[in-house]
Amino acid sequence: MSALDASKAFDRVNHSKVFDKLVAQNMTNCILRVLVNWYGKLQSVVRWNCVFSSSFTVTCDVRQGGVLSPFLFNIYDMLIR
């Protein structure tokens, strides 16, 4: 018996690799532009003891609970195999 801990798997999805894969699969430009605008300029901050860090660009992950997150993860998973 074996087990796989995939709890952090969604955090490892590289945005640019997913976009490249979608282009290679002839994804329509309209959908691709939506995804690039949604994920391509994602910014985040960290709050620790009520103090916020400077914002930084997020280049890997998919949104937790997002409807498209499993789809994007599967595209990425196919890419690295």
Coordinates of all heavy atoms in Angstrom, one line a residue:
M1 N 0.8 -1.2 0.0 CA 0.0 0.0 0.0 C 0.9 1.2 0.0 O 1.9 1.3 0.7 CB -0.9 0.0 1.2 CG -1.9 1.1 1.3 SD -3.1 0.8 2.5 CE -2.8 2.1 3.6
S2 N 0.5 2.2 -0.7 CA 1.2 3.5 -0.8 C 0.3 4.7 -0.6 O -0.9 4.5 -0.9 CB 2.0 3.6 -2.1 OG 1.1 3.7 -3.2
A3 N 0.8 5.8 -0.2 CA 0.0 7.0 0.0 C 0.7 8.2 -0.7 O 1.9 8.2 -0.8 CB -0.2 7.2 1.4
L4 N -0.1 9.1 -1.1 CA 0.4 10.3 -1.7 C -0.2 11.5 -1.0 O -1.4 11.6 -0.9 CB 0.0 10.4 -3.2 CG 0.3 11.6 -4.0 CD1 1.8 11.8 -4.1 CD2 -0.3 11.6 -5.4
D5 N 0.7 12.4 -0.5 CA 0.2 13.6 0.1 C 0.2 14.7 -0.9 O 1.2 15.3 -1.3 CB 1.2 14.0 1.3 CG 0.7 15.2 2.0 OD1 -0.4 15.7 1.7 OD2 1.5 15.7 2.8
A6 N -1.0 15.0 -1.4 CA -1.1 16.1 -2.4 C -1.6 17.4 -1.8 O -2.1 18.2 -2.5 CB -2.1 15.6 -3.5
S7 N -1.5 17.6 -0.5 CA -2.0 18.8 0.1 C -1.4 20.1 -0.4 O -2.0 21.1 -0.4 CB -1.8 18.7 1.6 OG -0.5 18.6 2.0
K8 N -0.1 20.0 -0.8 CA 0.5 21.2 -1.3 C 0.7 21.2 -2.8 O 1.3 22.1 -3.4 CB 1.9 21.4 -0.7 CG 1.9 21.6 0.8 CD 1.4 22.9 1.1 CE 1.4 23.1 2.6 NZ 0.9 24.4 3.1
A9 N 0.1 20.2 -3.5 CA 0.2 20.1 -4.9 C -0.3 21.3 -5.7 O 0.4 21.8 -6.6 CB -0.5 18.8 -5.4
F10 N -1.4 21.9 -5.3 CA -1.9 23.1 -6.0 C -1.0 24.3 -5.8 O -1.0 25.2 -6.6 CB -3.3 23.4 -5.5 CG -4.4 22.5 -6.1 CD1 -4.3 21.1 -6.1 CD2 -5.5 23.1 -6.6 CE1 -5.2 20.3 -6.6 CE2 -6.5 22.3 -7.1 CZ -6.4 20.9 -7.2
D11 N -0.2 24.3 -4.8 CA 0.7 25.4 -4.6 C 1.9 25.4 -5.5 O 2.6 26.4 -5.6 CB 1.3 25.4 -3.1 CG 0.2 25.7 -2.1 OD1 -0.9 26.2 -2.5 OD2 0.4 25.3 -0.9
R12 N 2.1 24.3 -6.2 CA 3.3 24.1 -7.0 C 3.0 24.4 -8.5 O 3.9 24.3 -9.3 CB 3.9 22.7 -6.9 CG 4.3 22.5 -5.4 CD 5.1 21.2 -5.3 NE 5.2 20.8 -3.9 CZ 5.9 21.4 -3.0 NH1 6.6 22.5 -3.3 NH2 6.0 20.9 -1.8
V13 N 1.8 24.8 -8.9 CA 1.5 25.0 -10.3 C 2.1 26.3 -10.7 O 1.8 27.4 -10.2 CB -0.1 25.0 -10.4 CG1 -0.5 25.4 -11.8 CG2 -0.7 23.7 -10.0
N14 N 3.0 26.2 -11.7 CA 3.6 27.4 -12.3 C 2.7 28.0 -13.3 O 2.4 27.3 -14.3 CB 5.0 26.9 -12.9 CG 5.7 28.1 -13.4 OD1 5.4 28.7 -14.4 ND2 6.8 28.4 -12.8
H15 N 2.4 29.3 -13.2 CA 1.4 29.9 -14.1 C 1.9 29.9 -15.5 O 1.2 29.6 -16.4 CB 1.2 31.4 -13.6 CG 0.6 31.4 -12.3 ND1 0.6 32.6 -11.5 CD2 -0.1 30.5 -11.5 CE1 0.0 32.4 -10.4 NE2 -0.4 31.1 -10.3
S16 N 3.1 30.4 -15.7 CA 3.6 30.5 -17.1 C 3.6 29.1 -17.9 O 3.3 29.1 -19.0 CB 5.0 31.2 -17.2 OG 5.9 30.4 -16.5
K17 N 4.0 28.1 -17.1 CA 4.0 26.7 -17.8 C 2.5 26.3 -18.1 O 2.3 25.7 -19.2 CB 4.6 25.7 -16.9 CG 6.1 25.9 -16.8 CD 6.7 24.8 -15.9 CE 8.2 25.0 -15.8 NZ 8.9 24.0 -15.0
V18 N 1.6 26.6 -17.3 CA 0.2 26.3 -17.6 C -0.3 27.1 -18.8 O -0.9 26.5 -19.8 CB -0.8 26.6 -16.4 CG1 -2.2 26.5 -16.8 CG2 -0.5 25.6 -15.3
F19 N 0.1 28.4 -18.9 CA -0.3 29.2 -20.0 C 0.3 28.7 -21.3 O -0.4 28.6 -22.4 CB 0.1 30.7 -19.8 CG -0.6 31.3 -18.6 CD1 0.1 32.3 -17.9 CD2 -1.8 30.9 -18.1 CE1 -0.4 32.9 -16.8 CE2 -2.4 31.5 -17.0 CZ -1.7 32.5 -16.3
D20 N 1.6 28.3 -21.3 CA 2.3 27.7 -22.4 C 1.6 26.5 -22.9 O 1.4 26.2 -24.1 CB 3.7 27.5 -22.1 CG 4.5 28.7 -22.0 OD1 4.1 29.8 -22.3 OD2 5.7 28.6 -21.4
K21 N 1.2 25.6 -22.0 CA 0.5 24.4 -22.3 C -0.8 24.6 -23.0 O -1.2 24.0 -23.9 CB 0.3 23.5 -21.0 CG -0.3 22.2 -21.3 CD 0.6 21.3 -22.0 CE 0.1 19.9 -22.1 NZ 0.9 18.9 -22.8
L22 N -1.6 25.6 -22.4 CA -2.9 26.0 -23.0 C -2.7 26.5 -24.4 O -3.5 26.2 -25.3 CB -3.6 27.0 -22.1 CG -4.0 26.4 -20.8 CD1 -4.6 27.5 -19.9 CD2 -5.1 25.3 -20.9
V23 N -1.7 27.3 -24.7 CA -1.4 27.8 -26.0 C -1.1 26.6 -26.9 O -1.6 26.6 -28.1 CB -0.3 28.8 -26.0 CG1 0.2 29.1 -27.4 CG2 -0.7 30.1 -25.3
A24 N -0.3 25.7 -26.5 CA 0.1 24.5 -27.3 C -1.2 23.7 -27.6 O -1.2 23.0 -28.6 CB 1.1 23.7 -26.6
Q25 N -2.2 23.7 -26.7 CA -3.4 22.9 -26.9 C -4.5 23.7 -27.7 O -5.6 23.3 -27.7 CB -4.0 22.4 -25.6 CG -3.0 21.5 -24.8 CD -2.8 20.2 -25.6 OE1 -3.7 19.6 -26.2 NE2 -1.6 19.8 -25.6
N26 N -4.1 24.9 -28.2 CA -5.0 25.7 -29.0 C -6.2 26.3 -28.2 O -7.3 26.3 -28.8 CB -5.4 25.0 -30.3 CG -4.3 24.7 -31.2 OD1 -3.4 25.5 -31.4 ND2 -4.3 23.5 -31.8
M27 N -5.9 26.6 -27.0 CA -7.0 27.2 -26.2 C -7.4 28.6 -26.9 O -6.5 29.3 -27.4 CB -6.5 27.5 -24.8 CG -7.4 28.2 -23.9 SD -8.9 27.3 -23.5 CE -8.3 26.0 -22.5
T28 N -8.6 28.9 -26.9 CA -9.1 30.1 -27.5 C -8.5 31.3 -26.8 O -8.2 31.3 -25.6 CB -10.6 30.3 -27.4 OG1 -11.0 30.3 -26.1 CG2 -11.3 29.1 -28.2
N29 N -8.2 32.4 -27.6 CA -7.5 33.6 -27.1 C -8.3 34.2 -26.0 O -7.8 34.8 -25.0 CB -7.2 34.5 -28.2 CG -6.0 34.1 -29.0 OD1 -5.2 33.3 -28.6 ND2 -6.0 34.6 -30.3
C30 N -9.6 34.2 -26.1 CA -10.5 34.9 -25.1 C -10.3 34.2 -23.8 O -10.1 34.9 -22.8 CB -11.9 34.8 -25.6 SG -13.1 35.6 -24.5
I31 N -10.4 32.9 -23.7 CA -10.3 32.2 -22.4 C -8.8 32.4 -21.9 O -8.6 32.6 -20.7 CB -10.6 30.7 -22.6 CG1 -12.1 30.6 -22.9 CG2 -10.3 29.9 -21.3 CD1 -12.6 29.3 -23.3
L32 N -7.9 32.3 -22.8 CA -6.5 32.4 -22.3 C -6.2 33.8 -21.8 O -5.6 33.9 -20.7 CB -5.5 32.2 -23.5 CG -4.1 32.0 -23.2 CD1 -3.8 30.9 -22.2 CD2 -3.3 31.7 -24.4
R33 N -6.8 34.8 -22.4 CA -6.6 36.2 -21.8 C -7.2 36.4 -20.5 O -6.7 37.0 -19.6 CB -7.2 37.2 -22.8 CG -6.2 37.6 -23.9 CD -6.7 38.7 -24.8 NE -7.6 38.0 -25.7 CZ -8.5 38.6 -26.5 NH1 -8.7 39.9 -26.4 NH2 -9.3 37.9 -27.3
V34 N -8.4 35.7 -20.3 CA -9.0 35.8 -19.0 C -8.1 35.1 -17.9 O -7.9 35.7 -16.8 CB -10.4 35.1 -19.0 CG1 -11.0 34.9 -17.6 CG2 -11.4 35.9 -19.8
L35 N -7.6 34.0 -18.2 CA -6.7 33.3 -17.3 C -5.5 34.1 -17.0 O -5.0 34.1 -15.8 CB -6.4 31.9 -17.8 CG -7.6 30.9 -17.8 CD1 -7.2 29.6 -18.4 CD2 -8.1 30.7 -16.4
V36 N -4.9 34.6 -18.0 CA -3.6 35.4 -17.8 C -3.9 36.6 -17.0 O -3.1 37.0 -16.1 CB -3.0 35.8 -19.2 CG1 -1.9 36.8 -19.0 CG2 -2.5 34.5 -19.9
N37 N -5.0 37.3 -17.2 CA -5.4 38.5 -16.4 C -5.7 38.1 -15.0 O -5.5 38.8 -14.0 CB -6.5 39.2 -17.0 CG -6.1 40.1 -18.2 OD1 -5.0 40.6 -18.2 ND2 -6.9 40.2 -19.2
W38 N -6.3 36.9 -14.8 CA -6.7 36.4 -13.5 C -5.5 36.0 -12.7 O -5.4 36.2 -11.5 CB -7.7 35.3 -13.6 CG -8.5 35.0 -12.4 CD1 -8.7 35.8 -11.3 CD2 -9.2 33.8 -12.2 NE1 -9.5 35.1 -10.4 CE2 -9.8 33.9 -10.9 CE3 -9.3 32.6 -12.9 CZ2 -10.6 32.9 -10.4 CZ3 -10.1 31.6 -12.3 CH2 -10.7 31.7 -11.1
Y39 N -4.6 35.3 -13.3 CA -3.4 34.7 -12.6 C -2.1 35.4 -12.9 O -1.2 35.4 -12.1 CB -3.2 33.2 -13.0 CG -4.2 32.3 -12.2 CD1 -5.3 31.8 -12.8 CD2 -3.9 31.9 -10.9 CE1 -6.2 31.0 -12.2 CE2 -4.7 31.1 -10.3 CZ -5.9 30.6 -10.9 OH -6.7 29.8 -10.2
G40 N -2.0 36.1 -14.0 CA -0.7 36.6 -14.5 C -0.2 37.8 -13.7 O 1.0 38.0 -13.6
K41 N -1.0 38.5 -13.0 CA -0.6 39.6 -12.2 C -1.0 39.5 -10.8 O -1.3 40.5 -10.1 CB -1.1 40.9 -12.8 CG -0.7 41.1 -14.2 CD -1.3 42.3 -14.9 CE -0.9 42.3 -16.4 NZ -1.7 43.1 -17.2
L42 N -1.1 38.3 -10.3 CA -1.5 38.1 -8.9 C -0.5 38.6 -7.9 O 0.6 38.3 -8.0 CB -1.8 36.6 -8.7 CG -2.5 36.1 -7.5 CD1 -3.9 36.6 -7.5 CD2 -2.6 34.5 -7.6
Q43 N -1.0 39.4 -7.0 CA -0.2 40.0 -5.9 C -0.7 39.5 -4.6 O -1.9 39.2 -4.4 CB -0.2 41.5 -5.9 CG 0.3 42.1 -7.2 CD 1.8 42.2 -7.1 OE1 2.4 42.6 -6.2 NE2 2.5 41.7 -8.2
S44 N 0.2 39.4 -3.6 CA -0.2 39.0 -2.3 C 0.6 39.7 -1.2 O 1.7 40.3 -1.5 CB 0.0 37.5 -2.1 OG -0.6 37.0 -1.0
V45 N 0.1 39.7 0.0 CA 0.9 40.2 1.1 C 0.8 39.2 2.3 O -0.1 38.4 2.3 CB 0.4 41.6 1.6 CG1 0.6 42.7 0.6 CG2 -1.1 41.5 2.0
V46 N 1.7 39.3 3.2 CA 1.6 38.5 4.4 C 1.3 39.4 5.6 O 1.9 40.5 5.8 CB 3.0 37.8 4.6 CG1 3.0 37.0 5.9 CG2 3.2 36.9 3.4
R47 N 0.4 38.9 6.5 CA 0.1 39.6 7.7 C 0.7 38.8 8.9 O 0.3 37.6 9.0 CB -1.3 39.9 7.9 CG -1.6 40.7 9.1 CD -3.1 41.0 9.3 NE -3.7 39.8 9.9 CZ -4.9 39.7 10.3 NH1 -5.7 40.7 10.2 NH2 -5.4 38.6 10.8
W48 N 1.5 39.4 9.7 CA 2.0 38.8 10.9 C 1.9 39.7 12.0 O 2.5 40.8 12.0 CB 3.5 38.4 10.6 CG 4.1 37.6 11.7 CD1 4.9 38.2 12.7 CD2 4.0 36.3 12.0 NE1 5.3 37.2 13.5 CE2 4.8 36.0 13.2 CE3 3.4 35.2 11.4 CZ2 4.9 34.7 13.7 CZ3 3.5 34.0 12.0 CH2 4.2 33.7 13.1
N49 N 1.2 39.4 13.1 CA 1.0 40.2 14.2 C 0.5 41.6 13.9 O 1.0 42.6 14.3 CB 2.3 40.3 15.1 CG 2.6 39.0 15.8 OD1 1.7 38.2 16.1 ND2 3.9 38.8 16.0
C50 N -0.5 41.6 13.0 CA -1.1 42.9 12.5 C -0.2 43.8 11.7 O -0.4 45.0 11.6 CB -1.7 43.6 13.7 SG -3.0 42.7 14.5
V51 N 0.9 43.3 11.2 CA 1.9 44.0 10.4 C 1.9 43.4 9.0 O 2.0 42.2 8.9 CB 3.3 44.0 11.0 CG1 4.3 44.7 10.0 CG2 3.3 44.7 12.4
F52 N 1.7 44.2 8.0 CA 1.6 43.7 6.6 C 3.0 43.8 5.9 O 3.7 44.8 6.0 CB 0.6 44.4 5.8 CG -0.8 44.1 6.3 CD1 -1.4 44.9 7.2 CD2 -1.5 43.1 5.7 CE1 -2.7 44.6 7.7 CE2 -2.8 42.8 6.1 CZ -3.4 43.5 7.1
S53 N 3.3 42.8 5.1 CA 4.6 42.9 4.3 C 4.3 43.7 3.1 O 3.2 44.1 2.8 CB 5.0 41.4 3.9 OG 4.1 40.9 3.0
S54 N 5.4 44.0 2.4 CA 5.2 44.6 1.1 C 4.6 43.5 0.1 O 4.7 42.3 0.3 CB 6.6 44.9 0.5 OG 7.3 45.9 1.3
S55 N 3.9 44.0 -0.9 CA 3.3 43.1 -1.8 C 4.3 42.4 -2.7 O 5.4 43.0 -2.9 CB 2.2 43.8 -2.7 OG 2.9 44.7 -3.5
F56 N 4.0 41.2 -3.1 CA 4.9 40.5 -4.0 C 4.1 39.7 -5.0 O 2.9 39.4 -4.8 CB 5.8 39.5 -3.2 CG 5.0 38.5 -2.3 CD1 4.6 37.3 -2.7 CD2 4.6 38.9 -1.0 CE1 3.9 36.4 -1.9 CE2 3.9 38.0 -0.2 CZ 3.6 36.8 -0.6
T57 N 4.7 39.4 -6.1 CA 4.0 38.7 -7.2 C 4.0 37.2 -6.9 O 5.0 36.6 -6.5 CB 4.8 39.0 -8.5 OG1 4.8 40.4 -8.8 CG2 4.1 38.3 -9.7
V58 N 2.8 36.6 -7.1 CA 2.7 35.2 -6.9 C 2.8 34.5 -8.3 O 2.0 34.9 -9.2 CB 1.3 34.9 -6.3 CG1 1.1 33.4 -6.2 CG2 1.2 35.5 -5.0
T59 N 3.7 33.6 -8.5 CA 3.9 33.0 -9.8 C 3.5 31.5 -9.8 O 3.5 30.9 -10.9 CB 5.4 33.1 -10.3 OG1 6.2 32.5 -9.3 CG2 5.8 34.6 -10.4
C60 N 3.3 31.0 -8.7 CA 2.9 29.5 -8.6 C 1.7 29.4 -7.6 O 1.7 30.0 -6.5 CB 4.0 28.7 -8.1 SG 5.4 28.6 -9.2
D61 N 0.7 28.7 -8.0 CA -0.4 28.2 -7.2 C -1.7 28.3 -8.0 O -1.7 28.9 -9.1 CB -0.6 29.0 -5.9 CG -1.3 30.3 -6.0 OD1 -1.5 30.8 -7.1 OD2 -1.7 30.8 -4.9
V62 N -2.7 27.7 -7.6 CA -4.0 27.9 -8.1 C -4.9 28.3 -6.9 O -4.6 28.0 -5.8 CB -4.6 26.7 -8.9 CG1 -3.9 26.5 -10.2 CG2 -4.6 25.5 -8.0
R63 N -6.0 29.0 -7.2 CA -6.8 29.5 -6.1 C -7.5 28.4 -5.4 O -8.2 27.6 -6.1 CB -7.8 30.5 -6.7 CG -7.2 31.7 -7.3 CD -8.2 32.6 -8.0 NE -7.5 33.7 -8.8 CZ -7.4 34.9 -8.3 NH1 -7.9 35.2 -7.1 NH2 -6.8 35.8 -9.0
Q64 N -7.4 28.4 -4.1 CA -8.1 27.3 -3.4 C -9.6 27.5 -3.4 O -10.1 28.6 -3.2 CB -7.7 27.4 -1.9 CG -6.2 27.0 -1.7 CD -5.8 26.9 -0.2 OE1 -6.6 27.3 0.6 NE2 -4.6 26.5 0.0
G65 N -10.3 26.5 -3.8 CA -11.8 26.5 -3.9 C -12.2 27.1 -5.3 O -13.4 27.2 -5.5
G66 N -11.3 27.4 -6.1 CA -11.7 28.0 -7.4 C -12.2 26.9 -8.3 O -11.7 25.7 -8.3
V67 N -13.2 27.2 -9.1 CA -13.9 26.2 -10.0 C -12.9 25.7 -11.0 O -12.9 24.5 -11.4 CB -15.1 26.9 -10.7 CG1 -15.7 25.9 -11.7 CG2 -16.1 27.3 -9.7
L68 N -12.0 26.6 -11.5 CA -11.0 26.1 -12.5 C -9.7 25.5 -11.9 O -8.9 25.0 -12.7 CB -10.6 27.3 -13.4 CG -11.7 27.9 -14.3 CD1 -11.2 29.1 -15.0 CD2 -12.1 26.8 -15.3
S69 N -9.6 25.6 -10.7 CA -8.3 25.1 -10.0 C -8.0 23.6 -10.4 O -6.9 23.3 -10.8 CB -8.4 25.3 -8.5 OG -8.4 26.7 -8.3
P70 N -9.0 22.7 -10.3 CA -8.7 21.3 -10.6 C -8.3 21.2 -12.1 O -7.4 20.4 -12.4 CB -10.0 20.5 -10.3 CG -10.7 21.4 -9.3 CD -10.3 22.8 -9.7
F71 N -8.9 21.9 -13.0 CA -8.6 21.9 -14.4 C -7.2 22.4 -14.6 O -6.4 21.7 -15.4 CB -9.6 22.7 -15.2 CG -9.2 23.0 -16.6 CD1 -9.3 21.9 -17.6 CD2 -8.7 24.2 -17.0 CE1 -8.9 22.2 -18.9 CE2 -8.4 24.4 -18.3 CZ -8.5 23.4 -19.3
L72 N -6.8 23.5 -14.1 CA -5.5 24.0 -14.2 C -4.4 23.1 -13.6 O -3.3 23.0 -14.2 CB -5.4 25.4 -13.6 CG -6.3 26.5 -14.3 CD1 -6.2 27.8 -13.5 CD2 -5.8 26.7 -15.7
F73 N -4.7 22.5 -12.5 CA -3.8 21.6 -11.9 C -3.6 20.4 -12.8 O -2.5 19.9 -13.0 CB -4.3 21.1 -10.5 CG -3.4 20.0 -10.0 CD1 -2.2 20.4 -9.4 CD2 -3.8 18.7 -10.0 CE1 -1.3 19.4 -8.9 CE2 -2.9 17.7 -9.5 CZ -1.7 18.1 -8.9
N74 N -4.7 19.9 -13.4 CA -4.6 18.7 -14.3 C -3.7 19.1 -15.6 O -2.9 18.3 -16.0 CB -5.9 18.2 -14.8 CG -6.6 17.4 -13.6 OD1 -6.0 16.9 -12.8 ND2 -7.9 17.4 -13.7
I75 N -3.9 20.3 -16.1 CA -3.1 20.7 -17.2 C -1.6 20.7 -16.8 O -0.8 20.3 -17.6 CB -3.5 22.1 -17.7 CG1 -4.9 22.1 -18.3 CG2 -2.5 22.7 -18.7 CD1 -5.1 21.4 -19.6
Y76 N -1.3 21.3 -15.7 CA 0.0 21.3 -15.2 C 0.6 19.9 -14.9 O 1.7 19.6 -15.3 CB 0.1 22.1 -13.9 CG 1.5 22.3 -13.4 CD1 2.4 23.2 -14.0 CD2 1.9 21.6 -12.3 CE1 3.7 23.4 -13.5 CE2 3.2 21.8 -11.8 CZ 4.1 22.7 -12.4 OH 5.4 22.8 -11.9
D77 N -0.2 19.1 -14.4 CA 0.2 17.7 -14.1 C 0.5 17.0 -15.4 O 1.5 16.2 -15.5 CB -0.9 16.9 -13.4 CG -0.5 15.6 -12.9 OD1 0.6 15.5 -12.3 OD2 -1.2 14.6 -13.1
M78 N -0.2 17.2 -16.5 CA 0.0 16.6 -17.8 C 1.3 17.1 -18.3 O 2.1 16.4 -19.0 CB -1.1 16.8 -18.7 CG -2.3 16.0 -18.4 SD -3.7 16.1 -19.6 CE -3.6 17.8 -20.2
L79 N 1.6 18.4 -18.0 CA 2.8 19.0 -18.6 C 4.1 18.4 -18.0 O 5.1 18.2 -18.7 CB 2.8 20.5 -18.2 CG 4.0 21.4 -18.6 CD1 4.1 21.6 -20.1 CD2 3.9 22.7 -17.9
I80 N 4.1 18.1 -16.7 CA 5.3 17.7 -16.1 C 5.5 16.2 -16.3 O 6.6 15.7 -15.9 CB 5.4 18.1 -14.6 CG1 4.2 17.4 -13.8 CG2 5.4 19.5 -14.5 CD1 4.3 17.7 -12.3
R81 N 4.6 15.5 -16.8 CA 4.8 14.0 -17.0 C 5.5 13.7 -18.3 O 5.6 14.3 -19.3 CB 3.4 13.3 -17.1 CG 2.9 13.2 -15.7 CD 1.6 12.4 -15.7 NE 1.1 12.4 -14.4 CZ 0.2 11.6 -14.0 NH1 -0.4 10.7 -14.8 NH2 -0.3 11.6 -12.8

